[in-house]
Structures are given as C-alpha cells and as structure tokens.
Amino acid sequence: SQTIHQWPATLVQPVGSPLSLECTVEGTSNPNLYWYRQAAGRGLQLLFYSVGIGQISSEVPQNLSASRPQDRQFILSSKKLLLSDSGFYLCAWSAHRVELTFFGQGTRLTVV
Amino acid sequence: AQSVTQLGSHVSVSEGALVLLRCNYSSSVPPYLFWYVQYPNQGLQLLLKYTTGATLVKGINGFEAEFKKSETSFHLTKPSAHMSDAAEYFCAVSFQAGTALIFGKGTTLSVSS
C-alpha cells in the first residue's frame, strides 16, 4: 500500500533562517506531488505541484521554492524565512488520472 | 476561474443534532467533488467523494453529501452529531482526475453536549 511521510512535525525557526521540509511517498511510482499551506482563516493554498522529476509548477509567488530530486521525494525550501511564512504545511500525492489525493500529517512551522 | 465557497467558517451543533456544512463551487466543466476532515495538527482525511453517477454519496463516520448540479452545491450532512465529529471540514474540487485540488476556506464544527 502507499504511504506518505512528511517531516518534521513541528519546527520553530528564526526570521532570516533557511528552511527545508521533506516529503517522500512509498508504494507508487511517478506520483503527482503537491505542497499546500494552511494559514488561519485562509483554508489550504496550493503552493507547488510536480508531475515528474525536475518539473515544478508554482501557484503563488512567494519566498519559497520546491524541488523534486527523486521520483518520490518533494522538498520545500526557503533561503530566508519571513514571519508570514508561518503556517501548517501539507504534502500530498495523487496518481495520474486518478481522482484521489492523499495527504501527509503536516508540518507546523512557526517563524519567530 | 474555478473556486469553492464554504458558507460559515464556524458551525456549532448539539450532540445528536443534524450537521449541515455548506459548499458551493463554480466550474465550467463537470467537477470532481470532495469533503475532507482535519483534526488538530493532523493531515486531511477523505470523508467522501463524488465523481460520476449517483449524486448522493455516502462516506465514513455516517456523513453523506449530495451533488446538485443546478445549485452548484455539494453540502455535507450527518443526521446525528457526535462529540468526535468536532473538527475542521474542507470542501474541495478538481476538474481532471489526478490534478490539484482547489479548497474552500474550511468550516470548523463544534459539538456541545
């Protein structure tokens, strides 16, 4: 069966520090991968999605970037965090042409 | 542009009462529709989905939703609320299988005894 792993679960980082959040999927190949951010009162906002290695689409201009160095690995990064980057970050995956999307357990990021 | 609107950011019900969470969408093509539930500091769990066929869909934990094309709605209901239903609920839509979901802003459900 397929599983998705996301870490760390919580993170407190100072303003201006770098960020790296990692997500891996097991039990499937060539998944679509997504990063969402959840901020209070704003629902889930799609940040990035990827349909294959090295293929990243950005939905919202921001202080973040994403990379997909391996088929089932998706990384969210920032060179310098802002206070506004605080939120709950969710990684997700779906199979091509299958309607279901599966979510990781999320990372609570607090920028101080 | 496609969008999802959840009416009411917070809904409060008594235990045993009907739960009704509202969701409307805008789309120029037939949508796939979903309801997810999120417990504090956790990921999202799929409650139910509509793709094609029967417009009344049943999900986990006694929830169901009805797709009404004429009203562009996909409201979530449960006949009798339980304390364990207290969580945040998200309605989502996609327009092609395997593509990114577009979410509403969520509705927090509180259940009182």
Side-chain angles (χ1 to χ4, degrees):
Chain A
S1 63
Q2 301 90 1
T3 57
I4 178 169
H5 302 281
Q6 185 181 345
W7 68 93
T10 60
L11 191 60
V12 180
Q13 292 285 97
V15 169
S17 64
L19 173 73
S20 180
L21 302 180
E22 189 164 343
C23 172
T24 60
V25 179
E26 296 179 355
T28 187
S29 60
N30 195 29
N32 293 329
L33 296 171
Y34 312 91
W35 279 110
Y36 287 88
R37 178 169 60 197
Q38 184 178 13
R42 298 183 62 182
L44 284 97
Q45 182 183 39
L46 178 65
L47 300 176
F48 301 96
Y49 70 93
S50 172
V51 299
I53 295 175
Q55 301 178 63
I56 309 292
S57 296
S58 174
E59 290 295 302
V60 181
Q62 67 238 309
N63 186 39
L64 302 169
S65 62
S67 62
R68 185 170 178 174
Q70 300 181 43
D71 181 44
R72 291 170 289 176
Q73 182 185 29
F74 205 25
I75 297 172
L76 183 69
S77 303
S78 174
K79 293 182 179 179
K80 291 185 177 181
L81 283 168
L82 306 172
L83 288 174
S84 57
D85 292 324
S86 294
F88 192 56
Y89 289 82
L90 287 158
C91 182
W93 76 273
S94 67
H96 293 280
R97 290 190 286 277
V98 176
E99 69 274 8
L100 291 176
T101 302
F102 301 93
F103 287 82
Q105 290 300 295
T107 296
R108 173 71 60 190
L109 172 66
T110 303
V111 182
V112 296
Chain B
Q2 296 87 359
S3 65
V4 177
T5 301
Q6 289 184 241
L7 298 175
S9 60
H10 200 138
V11 171
S12 297
V13 300
S14 299
E15 192 171 23
L18 171 71
V19 175
L20 171 60
L21 304 182
R22 300 179 185 273
C23 174
N24 289 87
Y25 67 92
S26 65
S27 171
S28 58
V29 299
Y32 298 108
L33 295 161
F34 307 84
W35 276 99
Y36 284 85
V37 62
Q38 184 184 35
Y39 298 99
N41 290 313
Q42 293 189 24
L44 275 68
Q45 180 183 9
L46 180 68
L47 277 177
L48 48 79
K49 65 180 175 76
Y50 169 79
T51 53
T52 59
T55 56
L56 181 63
V57 294
K58 296 184 183 298
I60 62 172
N61 302 338
F63 284 93
E64 61 183 38
E66 186 172 10
F67 169 57
K68 292 187 177 181
K69 183 178 179 180
S70 61
E71 299 177 8
T72 61
S73 69
F74 191 56
H75 302 331
L76 182 71
T77 61
K78 182 174 181 178
S80 177
H82 191 272
M83 296 294 286
S84 61
D85 294 327
E88 190 159 19
Y89 292 80
F90 291 94
C91 182
V93 62
S94 69
F95 302 95
Q96 185 176 350
T99 60
L101 296 173
I102 299 170
F103 285 89
K105 292 188 176 182
T107 298
T108 300
L109 176 65
S110 300
V111 182
S112 58
S113 58

